[in-house]
Amino acid sequence: MNHKPENTAADAAAGFDDPRIAREWELQERAQREERGGAPMDEADPRLAQYRLLTRALRAPVMEPIPYGFAEQVARRAQAVAAGNDRVERYLQQLLLAALVVAGVAMVWSSSDSWWPALQAQVPAGSLSWGALAGGCCLLTWGWQGVARAIGLDAAPRHTA
């Protein structure tokens, strides 16, 4: 059979360009070998002792059990936070829209004495009443949709999985 021999720490260290990195690699590998073998700790080399402690900590991590329903609790919290942030943003957008509408109506109202008579002279009789009726229908439809959305009448049914 033709199989490749396993890489040793010396082979891996030979692949590094910087000798400092190669020494650190060799030190880490030595710490891992000594920790696996159960060799006593050498007080003379503090860097090796640090790596051995790190190796020991990584071999036996402390695992606390995750409570039942943890993912569901986290998902609920995330949805609540997102809904709260969306609610504030939605209220601010509605407030801005209302302010823009009020400012627009005020601007139109304040300048109407200059353009309203000219508009009445140009438009055939009776068409302004139809235009007002169409505008009223649009306003009533959009207003009802906004009210229904605000009180939750048009909410789609929620499916639980």
Side-chain angles (χ1 to χ4, degrees):
M1 278 210 210
N2 190 10
H3 77 275
K4 196 174 185 179
E6 292 185 26
N7 289 341
T8 63
D11 294 337
F16 291 111
D17 294 335
D18 189 358
R20 292 177 301 167
I21 295 175
R23 280 193 306 271
E24 283 295 312
W25 176 268
E26 177 59 39
L27 197 59
Q28 292 172 9
E29 290 294 319
R30 182 176 156 207
Q32 193 173 15
R33 280 191 309 271
E34 287 182 10
E35 192 60 35
R36 280 188 190 148
M41 235 188 242
D42 185 13
E43 301 284 331
D45 194 357
R47 190 82 174 143
L48 180 65
Q50 287 176 344
Y51 282 130
R52 286 199 53 184
L53 288 174
L54 185 61
T55 301
R56 187 177 302 156
L58 290 174
R59 286 183 69 192
V62 177
M63 295 291 290
E64 294 183 19
I66 296 175
Y68 181 76
F70 175 75
E72 184 180 350
Q73 292 171 4
V74 170
R76 259 191 271 126
R77 284 184 191 166
Q79 285 176 346
V81 167
N85 290 342
D86 288 348
R87 189 177 320 128
V88 170
E89 186 175 335
R90 193 171 50 242
Y91 287 149
L92 290 175
Q93 286 176 347
Q94 290 172 352
L95 180 67
L96 179 62
L97 180 64
L100 287 173
V101 167
V102 167
V105 168
M107 182 61 105
V108 167
W109 187 267
S110 67
S111 65
S112 66
D113 45 345
S114 64
W115 59 266
W116 185 252
L119 181 65
Q120 284 179 333
Q122 295 293 324
V123 177
S127 61
L128 285 180
S129 61
W130 283 108
L133 181 65
C137 287
C138 290
L139 187 64
L140 183 65
T141 302
W142 294 333
W144 174 250
Q145 287 175 351
V147 168
R149 197 175 322 120
I151 61 177
L153 291 179
D154 71 337
R158 292 184 181 163
H159 300 285
T160 57

